[in-house]
Amino acid sequence: MSEQILRIEHLVKHFPIRGGFLRRTTGKVYAVNDVSFSIRRGETFGLVGESGSGKSTVGKTVVGLYKPTAGQVMFDGEDVEARKRREPLRFRREVQMVFQDPRSSLNPRRTILSTLSDPLIIHKLAASSAERKKMVAELLVQVEMSSRYMYKHPSALSGGQRQRIAIARTLAVGPRVLVLDEPTSALDVSVQAKIIDLLLELKSERALSYLFITHDLSLVRTISDRTGVMYLGSIFELGKTAPLFSKPMHPYSRTLLDSVPVVSKEEEAVKPAGCAREDSEIPSSSNLPDGCVFHPRCLECTEQCKKVAPALIEVGAERSVRCFRFAERRERDMTQSSHEREGEGDKEEYGDT
Amino acid sequence: MTVDSFERVDESAGTWRVLLRERFGRSWYRFRRNRISLIGAVMVLSVAILAALAPWVAPYPRHAHAFTDFANRFQPPSAAHWFGTDDVGRDVLTRVIFGYRVSLMLAVVVLGISVPIGIVLGLIAGYCGGAVEAVIMRITDVFLSLPPLVMALAICAAFTPSIDKAMLAVASIWWTWHCRLVHGVTKSLRKEEFVQASEILGASPLRIIFRDILPNCASPIIVKITIDAGFVILVGAGLSFLGLGVQPPQPGLGTMLSEGATYLPAKWWMTLFPSIGIFYLIMGFNLLGDGLRDALAVEEGV
Amino acid sequence: MLAMRDLRVHFRTYDGLSRVLDGVSLGIAAGERVGLVGETGCGKTVAMKTVMGTLKSPPALFPTGEVLLRGRDVLKMKSREKRALKGTVLSMIYQDPLSALNPVFTIGEQLRDIIHHGGRRSGKKRLPRRHLVEKQERALEAVRLSDTKRILSSYPFQLSGGMRQRALIAMSLINQPELLIADEPGTALDVTVQAQILALLSELVRERGLTLLLISHNLGVIREAVDSLYVMYAGQIVESGSVASVFGKPLHPYTSGLLACVPRLTGEREAGGIPGTIPDYTEAPGGCRFHPRCKHAMAVCCETAPSAVEWASDHEISCHLYERSQGE
């Protein structure tokens, strides 16, 4: 298991909604409900979902910004909360985060030099301000920007350039895992391509592992090794990217893939048929439906789905689905395989699913 | 490693010049284009220069101190005395100019004490939240519910009235507005991504407060200080008018008003010119503050 | 319906004269669904604002060109006339429904204001209350919102993103405009909701015979929502034609570069992007504005801007590469 650099186990994160004069808790946002997955060393794990799915919350909890309500995040075999208590500053160097909106992730009132020097000062990575300047210049080169940007303010840079600075800031401390929360969603597609190139290059140069959070399915398809599909705080489907995209199982995964606007006929051909009620929308995270949280929109909903929430179960090599339809199938497969073991030569073909 | 080679090459020499130009160039441009703010700036600057050079600029500097010339009392405005003379023969113009000195000093001292206190308390309250915030803000609320003039009156009356007691009195209330302002801005900035990014990098709360949040509070604070200056002067003049601020024979705009009031409407110049003086100064600050607000807003909007 | 002829728009700014639009020409016939594609900063917002008449005249300058809406030049109209057009002939759907809706009025109140604005322009008297409510409900049903009574009395923040966008569409259609301009519809929404909104939009346009101008930087959305498109770069139209032809065979180096950058659902991606950045409009490159970034740039590209050449009956290209082969 030392192959797994990050392991999220039954993570739960709820936020209280405070209101009223005395700021009582009037409700909760159930952002993340029992999420479990792991990331291997050197892997890019894609976490996809729409708004309210909780994917950003997962990212921020992994990086240590939030404390889990329940469950654990294990980094390199150790619980992150315990690690933060033991060695707060050292932990900060291991896992870093790149945010979505480059406009707000850089302080508009500080120069680039000041922003990039911050991590060096906090972690005492440079002996003098001259050395700091040199290191900042090197960081800029690594993100393919010239050092004359040092004295500029973020407002003088384009979105792509700002995002490069945000990436440089995380690299300054030498992390092993980068959580990327929609790093290119605010950028044009041509700028996005360059930033992704940069990220892939850095990943191979420095042997990083990425948790790539996004709603852009085409992007995830091209760069992640394994993918998790999230909806309203739960992972609905998890597995190796290529098989998941070519044969999605969960109704929500199929709906998601069906909605992607694509640019070529070849891509149209691989899109599955959607499986959601027409014109249905995502409910609020503070008022989750009973049972399976997707049931109000699901075209394959059964009575059981309305009352009981399914568990995430493995349905094949490296694939897990959270859906009763596949629990049945797995039951069938399991009885099928046990039958095959008992009755050799009995070749009963169950219907193709 | 390709470097973006298609941008304009900046041939600037020193880094300081670059920094200044980057930082202030656009704001200055906006400021310049706004007529009103320029007028305000000119007004305030003119008063500041007059006040600074008072002993050399005023026609009768000795009139600013204990001086009597009963032969010349109640002279209407003339070539010798542009603003006329008062009830003991002192030149009103001189006293107005010296009065400006007192007013500006009042503004500087009061704001110099109250603003830093307000800022620090506001930052702490906004960043820490929870019980700390509640305690600080409730104390602020209590102070805010006291009208400044009444509070100043009470403090001044409790001790021997003088200009320093007046300054202290006003300062003791004034910090609350800045505290509130900074608290509000801090709370909204707290959730910004660059603050979260600093937290993730491992920055200590102190570092985040002073390096990330405070610079972003700068423009509302600067605007407020400018407009506050006008109000502080007004309050000071009010106190002096009531006899609790500047004590005679020191020249103070409010004191001059109260002295001259008894001689209205016959000796109108004794009240009119100090009033215009107060109006001019406060108006200047207000216009300047408005202009600054527009100019500084540019930096954030970009 | 809408035509732009050689439109140039300049802005006076702190850094100099910003020559944003440099000879934009396009034409949309009634009933067509046309897309305008370009990345951030290409000038499509400026073009759209010119049609809407919302640019403040200093600092904006219009040295040449005309914008003909139903034959009349918008640039020469007085603001009163322009205002009369809005909502009635010309209507717009904004990008972010949350900021486009007034937060302190209910949906019903905002619809009512729009109806009255439309009625005033066409000289009709105020509708009696009963008719008003009926009209509002029908408008909401047309965008497939059920539970109309609740929505009419709700404030924007009480509705979900998709419902807000539908309400916004209802508002823009209620006075029966002829031309609908949609600015990045669905960008602020989740992808499943975006798909629903785009489908709704297509259906409404078809049902009512409207003309649609859809502006977006998302090539996938354009491909699914319109029949023909214009590709814009740095204030110049570089390519135009039917969706099938342009996507099937992108001619302009920018168009093909852009398409190559889009990650594919089938898993391929091309590295590299398009080298360089969009130009600074105060010092825009001469001739074809794409030439500093173009692999195939030739000497003539720096000097003269290429003019539109017909490659096929449904495909036009503005590029010197194709001029030469045409001539040969």
Side-chain angles (χ1 to χ4, degrees):
Chain A
M1 282 306 168
S2 63
E3 246 240 322
Q4 289 176 343
I5 191 163
L6 208 54
R7 198 180 155 75
I8 288 93
E9 284 175 0
H10 301 292
L11 185 64
V12 175
K13 181 69 190 157
H14 296 160
F15 297 98
I17 306 175
R18 283 190 226 276
F21 177 66
L22 288 171
R23 301 169 64 78
R24 293 245 146 81
T25 304
T26 50
K28 284 213 200 121
V29 173
Y30 303 97
V32 179
N33 304 304
D34 193 14
V35 162
S36 305
F37 64 94
S38 60
I39 303 182
R40 301 190 191 122
R41 229 173 272 273
E43 184 182 45
T44 299
F45 187 92
L47 197 55
V48 294
E50 298 176 287
S51 56
S53 58
K55 56 193 196 299
S56 286
T57 311
V58 169
K60 291 186 181 167
T61 312
V62 164
V63 101
L65 201 55
Y66 297 149
K67 219 159 80 92
T69 310
Q72 284 186 322
V73 176
M74 312 283 282
F75 176 74
D76 234 1
E78 185 183 354
D79 177 31
V80 157
E81 288 298 311
R83 179 85 191 274
K84 274 201 313 195
R85 263 170 291 162
R86 192 163 60 83
E87 271 188 326
L89 223 47
R90 260 235 71 120
F91 170 69
R92 289 295 179 210
R93 297 184 58 183
E94 310 267 19
V95 184
Q96 274 297 322
M97 186 153 171
V98 177
F99 292 86
Q100 169 178 359
D101 188 358
R103 250 177 314 194
S104 53
S105 63
L106 298 177
N107 190 332
R109 296 243 172 229
R110 295 173 78 172
T111 58
I112 303 298
L113 174 61
S114 169
T115 303
L116 289 179
S117 305
D118 237 12
L120 302 174
I121 298 174
I122 297 171
H123 296 272
K124 303 194 181 39
L125 296 171
S128 64
S129 72
E131 196 183 329
R132 262 205 301 273
K133 236 203 239 176
K134 204 161 63 83
M135 289 176 80
V136 168
E138 275 169 19
L139 279 172
L140 284 173
V141 168
Q142 287 188 1
V143 293
E144 297 167 12
M145 283 180 75
S146 109
S147 56
R148 68 184 151 82
Y149 284 102
M150 268 202 270
Y151 298 104
K152 297 212 182 260
H153 288 269
S155 52
L157 304 182
S158 70
Q161 290 171 324
R162 281 183 225 166
Q163 205 60 309
R164 287 175 196 265
I165 301 294
I167 294 173
R169 180 173 55 185
T170 65
L171 294 177
V173 295
R176 283 194 283 156
V177 174
L178 274 190
V179 175
L180 302 135
D181 190 0
E182 312 255 21
T184 54
S185 305
L187 306 172
D188 285 315
V189 73
S190 61
V191 181
Q192 174 179 295
K194 289 197 269 194
I195 298 292
I196 299 289
D197 285 345
L198 174 65
L199 286 171
L200 293 176
E201 205 178 299
L202 288 169
K203 177 167 170 254
S204 64
E205 274 175 21
R206 295 164 172 242
L208 299 170
S209 313
Y210 285 168
L211 173 58
F212 200 95
I213 303 173
T214 181
H215 62 270
D216 186 341
L217 287 149
S218 310
L219 185 56
V220 151
R221 174 72 178 85
T222 59
I223 61 170
S224 68
D225 303 304
R226 288 190 307 138
T227 305
V229 177
M230 274 188 80
Y231 182 80
L232 280 184
S234 312
I235 292 195
F236 273 173
E237 194 161 352
L238 183 58
K240 277 223 179 71
T241 306
L244 197 156
F245 274 67
S246 54
K247 276 201 170 46
M249 293 186 187
H250 196 286
Y252 177 64
S253 315
R254 285 185 263 147
T255 311
L256 206 55
L257 282 167
D258 180 39
S259 324
V260 177
V262 292
V263 294
S264 65
K265 290 200 209 66
E266 295 81 20
E267 290 169 273
E268 285 280 6
V270 302
K271 277 166 66 163
C275 192
R277 240 175 260 285
E278 232 190 86
D279 296 340
S280 58
E281 286 199 41
I282 306 176
S284 145
S285 310
S286 46
N287 198 0
L288 296 181
D290 293 323
C292 172
V293 290
F294 189 58
H295 88 253
R297 299 174 72 185
C298 188
L299 289 178
E300 291 179 9
C301 170
T302 66
E303 280 309 308
Q304 190 188 24
C305 303
K306 293 188 192 165
K307 302 202 198 87
V308 188
L312 190 66
I313 30 179
E314 270 193 46
V315 287
E318 293 235 34
R319 182 83 83 93
S320 315
V321 184
R322 189 188 290 270
C323 184
F324 287 120
R325 301 244 161 227
F326 297 92
E328 297 165 9
R329 195 200 303 186
R330 184 166 167 255
E331 294 280 315
R332 259 200 309 238
D333 286 349
M334 281 176 62
T335 32
Q336 172 188 5
S337 54
S338 65
H339 277 173
E340 278 176 2
R341 261 181 274 130
E342 284 170 24
E344 290 182 13
D346 254 346
K347 290 236 166 81
E348 281 175 58
E349 295 274 325
Y350 285 89
D352 191 46
T353 37
Chain B
M1 290 289 181
T2 49
V3 175
D4 274 339
S5 48
F6 295 105
E7 278 106 39
R8 244 194 316 181
V9 179
D10 220 6
E11 298 290 359
S12 47
T15 59
W16 283 113
R17 222 176 300 153
V18 174
L19 246 170
L20 273 169
R21 184 145 40 98
E22 291 283 340
R23 246 212 157 105
F24 299 114
R26 242 166 262 267
S27 315
W28 178 239
Y29 177 70
R30 279 289 281 256
F31 190 77
R32 245 187 321 136
R33 292 185 73 192
N34 188 346
R35 289 279 145 68
I36 309 268
S37 56
L38 273 182
I39 295 175
V42 162
M43 285 164 90
V44 172
L45 239 90
S46 60
V47 170
I49 294 176
L50 273 178
L53 301 176
W56 298 279
V57 168
Y60 300 91
R62 285 181 54 219
H63 293 206
H65 312 290
F67 175 86
T68 54
D69 181 4
F70 287 96
N72 257 333
R73 59 208 292 248
F74 296 129
Q75 294 293 315
S78 64
H81 298 276
W82 292 2
F83 286 1
T85 59
D86 65 0
D87 55 338
V88 290
R90 296 173 295 198
D91 177 39
V92 175
L93 173 58
T94 307
R95 290 184 67 80
V96 167
I97 294 178
F98 274 86
Y100 272 152
R101 270 198 157 183
V102 175
S103 298
L104 285 179
M105 192 181 54
L106 178 71
V108 166
V109 170
V110 169
L111 291 176
I113 299 176
S114 56
V115 169
I117 295 178
I119 291 180
V120 168
L121 285 176
L123 283 172
I124 296 176
Y127 188 81
C128 298
V132 176
E133 176 189 12
V135 166
I136 296 182
M137 292 322 286
R138 297 296 85 79
I139 295 179
T140 313
D141 285 341
V142 168
F143 272 89
L144 269 172
S145 57
L146 302 166
L149 201 54
V150 172
M151 198 44 191
L153 273 172
I155 296 185
C156 279
F159 305 95
T160 351
S162 76
I163 186 67
D164 7 323
K165 302 291 186 314
M167 288 198 246
L168 253 151
V170 178
S172 68
I173 320 269
W174 217 267
W175 62 269
T176 51
W177 276 283
H178 287 268
C179 177
R180 235 216 189 158
L181 172 66
V182 171
H183 167 254
V185 177
T186 307
K187 266 200 101 78
S188 67
L189 286 175
R190 185 84 171 69
K191 308 246 170 46
E192 284 286 328
E193 287 189 338
F194 60 82
V195 171
Q196 290 188 329
S198 288
E199 284 181 29
I200 294 177
L201 282 172
S204 65
L206 219 61
R207 198 182 169 76
I208 294 179
I209 290 179
F210 285 104
R211 298 280 271 155
D212 278 319
I213 297 185
L214 183 56
N216 281 292
C217 299
S219 41
I221 293 177
I222 293 177
V223 172
K224 183 149 175 41
I225 290 179
T226 319
I227 299 186
D228 270 358
F231 278 111
V232 167
I233 293 172
L234 200 58
V235 171
L239 284 175
S240 306
F241 184 83
L242 295 170
L244 292 170
V246 179
Q247 299 299 313
Q250 255 201 312
L253 296 166
T255 332
M256 291 169 75
L257 271 176
S258 79
E259 287 169 356
T262 42
Y263 300 105
L264 279 172
K267 319 284 188 267
W268 50 271
W269 56 91
M270 284 176 67
T271 42
L272 181 66
F273 293 111
S275 312
I276 294 179
I278 298 177
F279 171 79
Y280 181 78
L281 182 56
I282 296 180
M283 187 65 167
F285 273 117
N286 285 351
L287 293 178
L288 180 62
D290 271 344
L292 274 177
R293 188 187 311 154
D294 285 339
L296 290 171
V298 183
E299 285 185 8
E300 276 147 37
V302 179
Chain C
M1 168 68 66
L2 174 68
M4 279 188 206
R5 300 222 185 98
D6 199 32
L7 179 66
R8 263 169 244 272
V9 181
H10 299 170
F11 290 88
R12 239 187 256 131
T13 69
Y14 171 67
D15 304 295
L17 188 65
S18 184
R19 299 182 176 78
V20 178
L21 295 186
D22 186 46
V24 170
S25 300
L26 57 87
I28 307 178
E32 278 190 339
R33 301 186 308 167
V34 177
L36 183 58
V37 177
E39 299 186 292
T40 323
C42 72
K44 52 191 200 297
T45 315
V46 171
M48 175 190 73
K49 285 195 174 157
T50 313
V51 174
M52 296 290 294
T54 52
L55 288 175
K56 270 223 195 85
S57 201
L61 306 163
F62 305 97
T64 70
E66 28 180 37
V67 177
L68 302 170
L69 184 59
R70 285 243 239 92
R72 295 182 54 222
D73 192 352
V74 171
L75 296 175
K76 297 197 173 54
M77 285 187 202
K78 299 198 194 34
S79 45
R80 214 180 336 125
E81 294 176 278
K82 284 194 263 194
R83 253 181 294 139
L85 287 176
K86 280 191 227 170
T88 48
V89 172
L90 176 61
S91 192
M92 183 143 157
I93 299 175
Y94 290 90
Q95 183 171 347
D96 184 4
L98 189 54
S99 48
L101 289 170
N102 193 327
V104 297
F105 291 107
T106 62
I107 303 292
E109 286 167 348
Q110 298 191 47
L111 270 171
R112 186 194 58 199
D113 287 340
I114 297 179
I115 296 175
H116 284 149
H117 167 85
R120 248 202 311 271
R121 294 300 157 198
S122 48
K124 299 202 202 92
K125 287 207 288 269
R126 268 179 124 88
L127 287 176
R129 189 183 161 70
R130 221 180 344 110
H131 290 180
L132 204 64
V133 172
E134 225 181 87
K135 196 164 174 169
Q136 289 173 338
E137 290 191 350
R138 258 185 291 134
L140 288 184
E141 280 162 16
V143 293
R144 293 202 233 131
L145 283 171
S146 45
D147 203 7
T148 52
K149 284 209 170 21
R150 181 179 76 87
I151 295 179
L152 284 174
S153 56
S154 303
Y155 287 93
F157 71 87
Q158 293 173 312
L159 302 176
S160 70
M163 290 162 92
R164 279 194 288 260
Q165 186 68 294
R166 289 172 200 265
L168 208 56
I169 296 177
M171 284 186 209
S172 45
L173 292 177
I174 201 160
N175 282 325
Q176 286 154 346
E178 296 169 31
L179 172 62
L180 195 59
I181 301 184
D183 183 17
E184 312 263 10
T187 316
L189 303 170
D190 292 312
V191 70
T192 49
V193 181
Q194 179 185 57
Q196 294 168 359
I197 297 292
L198 290 175
L200 171 69
L201 211 53
S202 289
E203 200 184 295
L204 287 170
V205 166
R206 213 171 2 109
E207 271 175 24
R208 300 174 182 217
L210 301 173
T211 312
L212 175 68
L213 173 60
L214 191 113
I215 301 177
S216 181
H217 63 271
N218 186 327
L219 289 162
V221 164
I222 291 272
R223 182 171 168 275
E224 293 197 356
V226 300
D227 305 311
S228 61
L229 71 147
Y230 287 85
V231 180
M232 197 160 164
Y233 177 77
Q236 293 174 330
I237 301 278
V238 298
E239 192 165 353
S240 62
S242 70
V243 162
S245 188
V246 174
F247 277 77
K249 192 172 168 50
L251 297 173
H252 197 282
Y254 177 64
T255 318
S256 51
L258 207 57
L259 271 170
C261 290
V262 177
R264 304 299 167 111
L265 209 55
T266 39
E268 305 94 43
R269 77 175 285 272
E270 260 184 57
I274 305 176
T277 55
I278 50 163
D280 185 342
Y281 289 109
T282 55
E283 288 181 0
C288 170
R289 286 182 167 182
F290 186 64
H291 82 253
R293 304 173 73 178
C294 185
K295 277 191 289 231
H296 311 282
M298 307 174 286
V300 61
C301 301
C302 319
E303 292 154 26
T304 36
S307 37
V309 153
E310 198 180 288
W311 176 263
S313 62
D314 61 348
H315 200 154
E316 270 185 19
I317 170 81
S318 297
C319 183
H320 290 296
L321 278 173
Y322 299 93
E323 268 173 19
R324 288 218 301 192
S325 39
Q326 274 281 334
E328 281 159 15

